[in-house]
Structure formats: C-alpha cells, structure tokens
Amino acid sequence: MAVTPTVAKGAPGIPARWTSSAKSGVGTALSARSPLWFTTSHGILNEIYYPRLDSACTRDLGLIVTGPGGYFSEEKRDAAHTVEPFEDGVPGYRLTNTASDGAYQVEKRIVTDSKRPVLLQETSFTALKGQAADYRVYALLAPHLVNAGMGNTAWIGEHKGQRLLFATGRGVALALASSLPWGACSAGYVGFSDGWQQLHDSGALDPSCHTAENGNVALTGEIGFSAGKTVALLALGFGASPEEAADLALASLKQGFEPAAKTYVENWRKFQAGLEKLDRRAGSGLNTYRASTAVLATHLSIARPGAAVASLSIPWGFNKGDDDLGGYHLVWPRDLVETAGGFLAAGDGRQALQILAYLRSIQQPDGHWPQNCWSDGTAYWPGIQMDECAFPLLLADALRRAGHLPKSKLADFLAMIENAAAYIVRNGPVTGEDRWEEDAGYSPFTLAVEIAGLLAAADILDAFGKNEPANYLRETADCWNDQIERWTYVTGTELCARAGIEGYYVRIVPPDDGGAASPKDGFVPIKNRPPGDTDRPAEAIISPDALALVRFGLRAADDPRILNTVKAIDSELRCDLPQGPLWYRYTGDGYGEHEDGAPFDGTGQGRPWPLLAGERAHYELAAGRKDRSAQLLETFERSAGVGGLLPEQVWDRPDMPDRELRRGAPSGSAMPLVWAHAEHIKLLRSLRDGAVFDLPPQGVERYIRDKTVSPLRIWRFNNKIRSIPAGKTLRVELSAPGVVHWSSDKWLTVQDSKTVENAFGIHLVDLPVDRLRPGTTIVFTFFWPEAMRWENVDFSVGIDAS
C-alpha cells in the first residue's frame, strides 16, 4: 500500500477531545458479522465503536461546504438538523441538514452493513442558492482509535487502484471510501494542519499534507459531486489492518446502499416482531416504545452475549479527552439488571436470561460484582456497591417466576446465587457506595435491594431443598428490615417543621461510628462539590431513593412514613419544567453543569433526572393512582431529545443557546441513558398490566401482609451494634470459629457460647438475652481457638426499652 511520505505540520495536534454526548440516534446491524455501533448528533456521525461496543474508534464524521467568496460552512454548526428513523423501532436514520443561511441542503441515510464491519452513509447535496457547481463538499473524519484521540496515524493512500483515507492506532485500522472519486485530500494534525483549518483559512486543501503520524489527527477528502452526480455513498470500514479495512469498505461500496439497508431493516423487524405490543405514539408521531426497545438492543455486545453498556456516549464529551477512557460505554451490573428488566417487560425473556448468564461469568470469586467493567469483564472502577451485588438475585428470581428458568436451568445458576447471597450477608447491610456511586453507609435504596435479594435467594434455595441456608437468609433479611427506620428515618428536623410532617427517610447515613449515638447523627460528604463545601448532616439530605422501599416490596405505598417522605421529596427536590415535574437525585447534588452552564468538570450542580419521573410513576401506580402514573409517563417521554432518546439529565434554568441548553431539554450528560429506556418500557408494561411489573412478591407477603418481625439483632465486627430492643436475641456472627465469653451482670457471672459455622461460612451463636430487662448491658469478648488467643478487647451492647 503506497503511503506518501509528506508529513503534515503541527504534530501532535491540540489535546484530543470527544464530542457531544447528546445523541440523536444510535444504531447497529444486529449481526455477528458486523461488530459495529454508531451514534449521531448535530446531523452527523459521532463515535463509531469497533470491534467491541466499549471501544470508540472515531470522534465524528461530518461535512464542510465551501463556495465562492471564501464561503465556509460546517454542517454540524451551521445548519438546522432533523432526524427520523427508517421506521418504528429500526435505528437506521435519515438526517436532513439545511444550512442556516439557506445556501444548501444535505440529506443522509445511515446504516451499518450486516455482512461486515462497515458503516454506510448515503449522502446527497443540493444547492439551494446558486448552482451545485458553485460549491465543494468535503468529508472530515476524526479518528479516535480504541478510546483515544492521541497516538493515531492518518494518511491518504491507495488500495487495489482505489484512493482511500486511512488511519491506524492501537491495533485497529479504518479506511474511508467513496463511490464518487475523491478530489483533493489531506491528513493533518487537529488544530494546526487538519482539513478544517486549511479550508477555513485558505479555502483549499494543502496537497502536501498526506500523512500525520502519532497524534490527534484528522482526514479530509473532497467528495466528487458534479452536475449529474449529486449522491455519494461513503463506506467507512474497520479491520485489524489497513488492507482489511480497505477490502471491507470497498466490498460494501460495491454491494451498494439498498441491499445493506434491506438486510439491516429486516434484522430489526424480526427483533421487534417478537416483542410485546406495548406500542405508543408521542405527539411527534414517534413510537416511543419501539424507540426504547431499539436503544436497549443497540447497546448489546456481540462478542460477549448478555453484556450491555450504560450508554454509547461520554458525558460532556466535548470537555473530556483521553484520560476518560470509559465514558459510559462500560457495563454497570445495576444498569445491566435494569436493562434485563426492560427486555423481560418487552417479552424478550431469552435476552434477559443471556444477561444473567453474562453476570454469572463476571461475578468475582468472593461473590460480589465489580462496580463497572469493560464488556470482557475486566473491572474498571474499584468500588463495592451492595445493590449491584443483590440485583442479579432479583433478576434470577424474576426469570424463575416468569417461567424462563425452570429448575433444570436454575441449577446452573445456583452457585452464583449462593455466592452472591453469602457476600451480602457477610458484608451488608452497609454499602461501600450508594447507587449514585458516591457515599458509604445505610441507604434506603440499597437496603431495599439487599433485603429483597436475600428473600429471592431464599426462595431459590428452598426449591433445591436447602431449607436451613434459606431460613438463615430470611432471618438476616428480617433483622435488617426491622432496622430500616432506626438507620434511615429521622423525625423532628427543620425540614419536618417546614413541610409539616413528622419525619422522613434520608438519602443515606454514614456507617456506625463508635463516637456517635446513632448513624443518623453523622455527616455525609456530598461528592462533586468544591472543597470545603461537602459535608452535610445526614438528616439534611433527602432523595427519591426511599421510594425503593415500596418498589421492592418492603413498605406499603400508603405507609405514613412513606407518605411523609413523598411530601419531603416534593418539597425539596421537585422541579416543574415545561414537560411536567421532574426530580433531582438528592439535596445538594453536584453532578451536573455549573450555574453558568459550563460543563461538569468534577464539580457542578445536579440537574433533574427523567428516570426519576419513571420511578415516581411506578410509585403512583403502586399507590393506586393510575391516572397520575400515566401523566408522569407523558412527562417522562416529553423529556426525550431529538430522535426520542432519553437523557440522563435535563436543563432546569433559563435557556442558554450559546451552550445548547434549553429549559426542560437534555443537558450535556449522557444521552441515551439505557437505564431510563428500560424504566420507560417497564412503565408501559406496568400501566398495561395495572401493577408494578418488577415488584418482587416476597417482601410484600412477608412484611406488608404478614407483618413479620425479627426476634434477632446481629452483632458483627463490621456492624458493631451498641444496643438492642428488649425481648430480642443477640446473634453474634464471626468470620472464624470463636467462643463468645460474655456476661450480663458486669462479669459477676460469665457464660461461654461457642459459634457454629453455617452454609455461608459465617460462624454464629445466639445469646439468650431476650429476657433481660431494659437498662442491662451485655459485655463480651472472644477466644479464638484456632489461634489459641483472646481478643483482649471488651465489647458491650445495651438493652433498650422495646
């Protein structure tokens, strides 16, 4: 392959940046032979992912138009954009870009080739002022191979007699071919010698710029439009070598757009045909249900069936560079279980089961799941989130109850379920991070998922005759459930007085600390705030997270404490927007744009999340207010961006056109958020069924109907309780065999109680203190027989009035 040796000036280019996260379209061919995913926004292609859906290989591919008198127009900045899918639930797109000055119009059709990893963009150019011959149209491609803008090499070359635009980096190559011969072409360094700079400054490409090595590079080529040829097909091929990428691009070009589009549409029609009929049209005419199901399917891996990333976007990408490798194109076990729930609600149990099998494959040896990971299972962030350890248990049980996991198949997942349950009972109920990935402590949301997960696991163990371990899981769940209010419900605060309520559940309280009378007296660090403006009293921070106690079946929707909390949430976190009410994540959230609209950069101000409108709608349905739930569905859908994609956050301040921020419209965070689309599908299913689709039944039966109360309180080294109500048995749980040396009368009399190991590797003993009077203090220490030593520290637990 000939490579012209002339190297462009300005190496290595300006620091690399990603692009807008506010996507208008995402798509893929649903074909194992085409491991390629694409995104669009502002009328052009953005990140294209290959060969894995967590491996972004381009920043963007758009057009520049030049003309007489120094005319220069870039379609993504200087045109009005419309986008529409080929048909309901088929994420092939028609993009129309009309120049703001009325000079031209560009129409595109975009699909990927189902037979090979090639993106096809059919492009037509129409002059609206003057003649087509007055204009020159250039394709501008920014390679960012394998999640990095730096370290790429680009050049203009030939392959099999055809001129192509090439780039390589980190073992991946791309080649851009055109059905109309390329005119002038260049390869340059971004910000110095790239085609944008050349065309903007001089109106022409520098023919000497044919190579740009090891930097932040861009490729530019003039598309050979002429009077009789106003439609060009661009084929962007990917491969392990430049030759492979070129061969694939040319093969797709030879096949043409129509056959590729036909197969692409057929693949998607087949997928959509197998789903539940929950179709619904928004005011725009868009079928919102099919848009959501397409988003879910587009985010699935090919190489690792069952893996799905959180979003094919990088929040505030235009402000982030190569140090943000993962963006949101990573697997979060929590988001993945929510995605599986979306598939299950849409009637695709097979895909939900594949997700469970994938989760089994990435479970860590000790039973937990990574905070997030690449699609191959390699952990990315190191946090431990207990809800992510429990969610797969709920998915397994949901599949079992829906008939997708008969006992013969369920047996394949038994070890996963036992290991996860063991991890939760050994390490819960405190979480290292809450669901917003920020704080440690007792979180109502995490507690709800943990407790529901343990009850679900218990039912599964019972199905295999493992009644003793199942009973232990229920005993632990009951004990934790009894203490949710002790840990997270506050009364008599300033907010109570303001809202006219007796109390409310807080967002999170810190882990027990020997110095505090109660965890609720502690302080919570608010992340993403400027230094010195972080810690807040736990009682001052509320969140819609408490509604999880209803969603997961632990508290009734009309429980007075829940009703109080709903009033507190609405008093503090509701934001009325043009589409209706949305909610913030929690008091003082810092994850969002700054007040002046500048992008989040480690600090900022949280904005409303449409997802939370979906969660609130589910609460309203649980409370018997179906009309209210349906209204919130409308609000949820009206929060979508162009193309029907649901964002993570929306802008809540007056319009800032220069920053593309419009009140009620998507902000610069992730779009689409797959979790939000899964919640949308579940809400459609719940409204059709008249009941919350993913409500686990065990907690409802145990705690709401039967009002089960635990006879126990559990003491552990990672949860050293300081008191128990009178009438309770004190269970001591250890990680090694031990003898509890204890007294209830200040060591006047002493008892030794030996632990017994249970099925989860926990060594436990129940101390019969249920008859002791309030005011008594139990004092104890440990003898460790394996090490033949004493603990040499005394611990104490007081008996409170019950």
Side-chain angles (χ1 to χ4, degrees), residues 113-398:
D113 187 340
S114 304
K115 295 179 181 175
R116 47 188 81 87
V118 179
L119 182 131
L120 292 169
Q121 176 179 293
E122 182 192 73
T123 311
S124 70
F125 178 81
T126 306
L128 301 178
K129 288 182 181 174
Q131 305 299 314
D134 296 337
Y135 299 95
R136 293 176 181 270
V137 182
Y138 300 85
L140 175 63
L141 171 64
H144 274 221
L145 288 156
V146 194
N147 293 326
M150 280 295 179
N152 295 292
T153 293
W155 70 95
I156 312 304
E158 286 199 2
H159 183 71
K160 296 182 177 173
Q162 295 261 27
R163 201 172 189 211
L164 290 93
L165 282 56
F166 290 98
T168 59
R170 284 158 291 281
V172 171
L174 61 76
L176 181 61
S178 172
S179 62
L180 299 179
W182 293 114
C185 296
S186 87
Y189 294 102
V190 174
F192 292 96
S193 53
D194 63 275
W196 191 97
Q197 303 289 335
Q198 294 173 27
L199 293 169
H200 184 266
D201 296 345
S202 67
L205 294 180
D206 181 347
S208 71
C209 289
H210 271 228
T211 306
E213 298 173 342
N214 192 27
N216 180 13
V217 299
L219 287 156
T220 313
E222 184 185 351
I223 302 171
F225 290 121
S226 62
K229 295 180 177 176
T230 58
V231 178
L233 180 58
L234 300 183
L236 180 57
F238 292 84
S241 68
E243 292 81 5
E244 183 186 9
D247 279 338
L248 292 166
L250 293 174
S252 283
L253 210 55
K254 185 177 179 184
Q255 173 192 258
F257 187 84
E258 295 303 339
K262 184 171 182 285
T263 309
Y264 186 96
V265 170
E266 282 169 358
N267 287 351
W268 278 99
R269 280 180 182 161
K270 184 180 176 188
F271 163 72
Q272 295 286 1
L275 302 181
E276 291 276 337
K277 304 292 186 282
L278 302 173
D279 300 70
R280 171 184 160 78
R281 295 208 177 272
S284 61
L286 184 80
N287 187 322
T288 60
Y289 168 60
R290 299 294 171 175
S292 283
T293 55
V295 167
L296 262 60
T298 296
H299 285 76
L300 288 168
S301 170
I302 288 172
R304 290 294 296 267
V309 296
S311 178
L312 289 170
S313 72
I314 297 160
W316 299 283
F318 59 89
N319 199 46
K320 293 183 178 176
D322 289 357
D323 54 341
D324 193 341
L325 279 179
Y328 275 12
H329 45 270
L330 295 161
V331 177
W332 270 265
R334 170 183 40 258
D335 294 52
L336 188 54
V337 172
E338 299 285 7
T339 298
F343 279 114
L344 202 52
D348 193 345
R350 185 192 62 83
Q351 185 57 62
L353 191 55
Q354 258 188 358
I355 288 174
L356 187 68
Y358 170 78
L359 283 163
R360 179 183 58 192
S361 77
I362 65 165
Q363 186 181 27
Q364 303 299 292
D366 65 359
H368 88 281
W369 275 271
Q371 178 179 1
N372 56 19
C373 61
W374 298 103
S375 59
D376 66 3
T378 306
Y380 187 65
W381 288 344
I384 303 271
Q385 300 177 3
M386 295 301 291
D387 66 319
E388 293 197 310
C389 304
F391 262 124
L393 300 176
L394 292 176
L395 175 58
D397 188 54

Side-chain angles (χ1 to χ4, degrees), residues 533-549:
D533 183 30
T534 57
D535 287 8
R536 299 279 194 283
E539 66 177 31
I541 309 164
I542 60 166
S543 169
D545 287 3
L547 298 183
L549 297 170

Side-chain angles (χ1 to χ4, degrees), residues 565-579:
T565 304
V566 168
K567 286 180 184 170
I569 290 166
D570 286 348
S571 158
E572 298 295 301
L573 301 174
R574 176 173 158 148
C575 178
D576 290 308
L577 292 164
Q579 62 265 49

Side-chain angles (χ1 to χ4, degrees), residues 434-436 443-446 448 505-508 542-552 565 569 573 584-586 612 615 675:
D434 64 336
R435 75 159 167 170
W436 304 122
S443 149
F445 184 93
T446 304
Y505 294 97
V506 297
R507 173 199 165 208
I508 194 166
I542 60 166
S543 169
D545 287 3
L547 298 183
L549 297 170
V550 177
R551 181 73 171 263
F552 295 102
T565 304
I569 290 166
L573 301 174
Y584 298 99
R585 295 194 302 175
Y586 58 82
L612 298 177
E615 292 187 352
W675 181 4

